[in-house]
Amino acid sequence: VQLVESGGGLVQPGESLRLSCAASGFTFSSSAMGWYRQVPGKERELVATISRSGSTDYADSMKGRFIISRDNAKKTVYLQMNILKPEDTAVYYCYTRLYVTPFWGQGTQVTVSS
C-alpha cells in the first residue's frame, strides 16, 4: 500500500489549496479514504472522510470550507481547501484502512500565513 500526498504549500489567509493523494497497492475503489492533519505537539485530527460510494463526512471546523472527493479511475483522493485560516496550518495526511490495518501517507505541509 502506498499513499502519496501532494499539493501542500504556503498560502495567505482566505486563499485556497487543493491536496491530492495518489494511491496504489490496493483496490482503491473498494476503500474508504480520509484526510487527517497534525500540528506539532498535538494529536492527529480527522479532517474529512469519503466512503467507497462517495459519501462524505467532515470535522465541524472544516464543514463548508473543505471538500473531499475521489477519482476512482485515477486512484486519487482530493481535498479542496477554501477560505484557509492560519489555524489550518498543519501537516496533512492521507489515510485508508484495510480490514483493521491503517495506512498513512508521508504527509504534506500546509502553511497559512500572511
Side-chain angles (χ1 to χ4, degrees):
V1 174
Q2 191 171 21
L3 302 171
V4 180
E5 302 98 334
S6 61
L10 172 63
V11 296
Q12 295 189 349
E15 293 186 339
S16 298
L17 206 57
R18 189 177 81 156
L19 306 182
S20 300
C21 171
S24 62
F26 63 102
T27 307
F28 179 81
S29 60
S30 298
S31 302
M33 302 294 298
W35 286 96
Y36 283 71
R37 69 185 187 184
Q38 189 169 25
V39 175
K42 294 189 177 181
E43 290 188 0
R44 197 168 293 188
E45 66 171 345
L46 174 68
V47 174
T49 60
I50 185 166
S51 72
R52 57 184 182 179
S53 65
S55 298
T56 59
D57 195 19
Y58 300 89
D60 286 343
S61 62
M62 288 71 161
K63 287 180 180 177
R65 297 191 300 126
F66 290 10
I67 301 171
I68 188 172
S69 61
R70 64 189 297 157
D71 185 332
N72 288 340
K74 294 183 178 180
K75 298 182 181 180
T76 300
V77 60
Y78 303 97
L79 184 68
Q80 177 68 42
M81 305 186 293
N82 301 317
I83 317 175
L84 283 162
K85 305 175 182 180
E87 51 264 42
D88 294 318
T89 296
V91 178
Y92 284 72
Y93 296 92
C94 184
Y95 165 88
T96 192
R97 187 177 67 187
L98 304 182
Y99 301 102
V100 298
T101 304
F103 292 93
W104 301 91
Q106 83 287 351
T108 186
Q109 176 71 47
V110 172
T111 303
V112 185
S113 175
S114 56

